[in-house]
Amino acid sequence: MSQAIAVLKNGSVCDGSAAGAVQADVWIKGERILAVLPPGIAPRELQGSADLRDCVAHDCAGRIIAPGFIDVHTHDDAIVLDHPDMLPKLSQGITTVITGNCGISLVPMETGEPPAPLSLLGHKQFRFNSLRTYRDAVDQARPGVNVASLIGHTTLRMLAMPDLDAPASPGQIAAMERMLDDAMADGALGLSSGVFYRQAYAANVEELTALVKVVARHGGLYATHIRDEMKGIIAAIEEAALTARLAGAPLVLSHHKCAGPANWGRTEETLPLIEKLALEQPIGMDVYPYAAGSTVLREDLVDGVIDILITGSGPHPEMIGRHLKDVAALWGVSQVQACKRLQPGGACYFQMRQDDVDRVVCHPLSMIGSDGLPHDQRPHPRLWGAFPRVLDQYWRVKGVLPLEQAVHKMTGMSAARFNLQGRGHLKPGFFADIVVIDPDKVRDRATYAEPVQFSDGIEKVWVNGCLSFNGRQKSVMARAGRFVERNK
């Protein structure tokens, strides 16, 4: 049986490589890209064939044709199973998500009630004791996007250690190494850590290095939510770099930022440090294009200066959408006391200054990741808008990021750093993960007040050669995603 043929005609092709856009037609056969050719020229192997006569043509005149975006920083481990249509991601042009970030992964964990911070992933899907069983569940669910996975250091700690407030013992490290080795053999991308969180804060360089050596043996990488993004950020970056260097693995610094008013402007210090370290070892970073972050409610992040927007609260759901200072005034307590009363819950923390965010987004070593929390009752707008926001704000409005570089940060660079074979570029033989964009209309519409909003200008999205999203209808047309292993 012949495979279906489609052609995206007359578009401006940004192929993911950071090369300038060219006018071309993109030909799809089955799940792969057959050819990228000048307009009006058919692939030689199709000329005169019945396949060519039956080809479905999509006129993309005046549009950008780009590789499907790769969201390198997600917490979508469970949502791809809970809500496999993945509309918040497909509607942005995202075709692949990387899960298991910040030390928090669904795998390998079986529990009925996940403790914080694993609870950020929801509460239903902690039922997989191996990456292999999770992979099978993803393929059975057939989500709207492809799924690749890191393994979380905090998850491993919770399985191996009764006391999380101390460094791991040699026996506990050995237990974590065995679990990690199994997951890497099953196709995991590498290890993530979240030493920012209490449950992993006690881990020392020796513990982390031992585990990162496991992923290095398999050709994986180390991604980390560093220990301190505030006053101690320099030491935290150096610790992460040392760990990766000792282990011999590439490093990705998660959602790089300088948080807190006392640290505003310090990207002028951190970015040169990262550049210097990158001369000696492979280093990248991801970033989301917003001045507010989002995580669990933590009283140590309450400084009485920054705005804090409540996105979730178990005991007081009626306070979702309010600012912490207003809740504290209503209750007649301090903001710290109000934060404790609202727990467990989540919040958006307006911790960053926009010029710092802009520097990181535009830096040559940065990739784009949403870091959205899909189980939040009122999510950060990045869940629905991060990728179109980069194109709108940094390419079109501010003009500080050329189109081809913006696309590269969301496609080719990401695929290379995370070792995703056949993704991230528009090349013959690569998987046909493709997004068609209206350059005059693309922008995010999600806001802190109304975070669940479709972006504009994302017209069509293909996943593995299947037309999966129609921007005019705002609908998922098909679910064609699968579990993606790292290139072994």
Side-chain angles (χ1 to χ4, degrees):
M1 176 186 261
S2 63
Q3 294 178 305
I5 305 292
V7 58
L8 284 59
K9 300 172 57 178
N10 306 315
S12 182
V13 173
C14 271
D15 67 4
S17 69
V22 297
Q23 292 298 119
D25 295 346
V26 178
W27 292 81
I28 301 171
K29 182 177 182 180
E31 65 180 15
R32 305 243 180 196
I33 295 170
L34 177 62
V36 181
L37 295 170
I41 298 178
R44 182 176 301 175
E45 58 265 47
L46 295 182
Q47 293 176 11
S49 72
D51 285 338
L52 184 58
R53 292 192 296 272
D54 295 336
C55 174
V56 177
H58 301 266
D59 188 4
C60 299
R63 303 295 185 260
I64 299 162
I65 305 173
F69 301 145
I70 299 170
D71 191 344
V72 299
H73 194 108
T74 85
H75 298 284
D76 291 340
D77 309 45
I79 204 72
V80 296
L81 304 176
D82 291 336
H83 297 286
D85 60 6
M86 292 301 290
L87 191 55
K89 297 302 173 76
L90 269 179
S91 64
Q92 294 184 62
I94 294 165
T95 57
T96 299
V97 298
I98 294 176
T99 66
N101 281 280
C102 298
I104 304 164
S105 64
L106 200 65
V107 178
M109 175 69 76
E110 293 178 284
T111 181
E113 190 61 32
L118 271 59
S119 53
L120 288 173
L121 304 180
H123 296 265
K124 297 180 186 177
Q125 297 290 349
F126 283 87
R127 56 187 175 91
F128 303 104
N129 62 6
S130 70
L131 188 63
R132 184 180 299 274
T133 56
Y134 176 68
R135 180 187 66 194
D136 292 346
V138 168
D139 287 342
Q140 184 175 359
R142 199 171 174 82
V145 297
N146 300 307
V147 181
S149 183
L150 296 160
I151 300 300
H153 168 239
T154 297
T155 301
L156 298 177
R157 280 191 124 231
M158 288 181 170
L159 288 167
M161 301 176 62
D163 178 11
L164 298 176
D165 294 321
S169 68
Q172 291 164 344
I173 290 173
M176 290 190 280
E177 287 175 327
R178 287 191 293 272
M179 290 185 283
L180 183 56
D181 189 65
D182 288 345
M184 293 302 296
D186 287 338
L189 301 178
L191 179 76
S192 78
S193 72
V195 287
F196 167 80
Y197 294 100
R198 180 195 66 80
Q199 293 81 356
Y201 191 82
N204 55 27
V205 170
E206 289 73 22
E207 174 183 334
L208 291 164
T209 300
L211 295 175
V212 180
K213 283 182 177 179
V214 174
V215 304
R217 288 200 300 270
H218 288 271
L221 59 79
Y222 175 47
T224 180
H225 183 159
I226 59 175
R227 195 175 300 279
D228 190 346
E229 295 170 324
M230 296 184 174
K231 182 179 180 181
I233 189 168
I234 296 298
I237 292 171
E238 290 174 338
E239 177 193 43
L242 175 62
T243 300
R245 190 163 62 248
L246 290 173
L251 173 66
V252 173
L253 299 168
S254 296
H255 43 56
H256 182 55
K257 66 174 76 73
C258 290
N263 293 286
W264 288 347
R266 290 189 71 194
T267 54
E268 293 185 335
E269 183 182 356
T270 62
L271 293 175
L273 171 62
I274 294 167
E275 292 169 11
K276 180 180 177 182
L277 291 167
L279 296 175
E280 300 178 356
Q281 61 187 112
I283 294 180
M285 55 188 158
D286 66 66
V287 58
Y288 48 81
Y290 299 86
S294 180
T295 188
V296 293
L297 277 167
R298 289 177 46 160
E299 55 267 29
D300 63 317
L301 299 179
V302 178
D303 63 5
V305 178
I306 64 169
D307 284 334
I308 299 173
L309 178 68
I310 308 306
T311 60
S313 174
H316 295 284
E318 72 278 8
M319 295 302 174
I320 295 171
R322 294 193 176 204
H323 285 89
L324 182 63
K325 63 183 178 183
D326 297 331
V327 175
L330 179 67
W331 288 346
V333 298
S334 70
Q335 289 191 42
V336 170
Q337 290 171 318
C339 180
K340 289 179 179 179
R341 279 197 202 178
L342 290 163
Q343 293 171 354
C348 289
Y349 299 86
F350 291 79
Q351 296 176 300
M352 287 85 79
R353 198 170 69 187
Q354 192 61 50
D355 63 335
D356 281 318
V357 177
D358 293 352
R359 286 188 199 100
V360 181
V361 169
C362 294
H363 195 274
L365 293 176
S366 71
M367 305 166 287
I368 306 303
S370 71
D371 197 16
L373 298 174
H375 288 92
D376 265 1
Q377 293 154 289
R378 184 192 180 102
H380 190 298
R382 64 194 181 184
L383 182 67
W384 285 81
F387 284 71
R389 184 176 182 83
V390 171
L391 293 173
D392 178 38
Q393 291 295 308
Y394 293 91
W395 168 52
R396 195 172 57 190
V397 175
K398 298 177 181 178
V400 294
L401 199 58
L403 173 63
E404 59 271 19
Q405 290 184 21
V407 170
H408 180 56
K409 286 174 172 287
M410 300 188 282
T411 58
M413 181 190 295
S414 307
R417 289 215 181 275
F418 283 87
N419 212 0
L420 301 177
Q421 187 174 32
R423 312 274 175 187
H425 294 273
L426 298 181
K427 290 182 178 180
F430 274 52
F431 289 96
D433 295 343
I434 303 172
V435 57
V436 175
I437 304 160
D438 185 333
D440 297 323
K441 294 182 179 178
V442 64
R443 71 183 182 99
D444 58 309
R445 298 183 65 87
T447 65
Y448 294 99
E450 296 185 50
V452 181
Q453 299 287 330
F454 286 98
S455 296
D456 289 338
I458 303 297
E459 292 200 343
K460 293 179 180 179
V461 181
W462 279 260
V463 179
N464 295 315
C466 183
L467 182 56
S468 298
F469 177 76
N470 185 311
R472 292 182 181 178
Q473 299 173 359
K474 308 296 186 189
S475 63
V476 174
M477 303 177 67
R479 302 205 315 252
R482 64 183 61 153
F483 189 85
V484 176
E485 298 183 13
R486 79 180 184 286
N487 183 28
K488 296 181 182 178

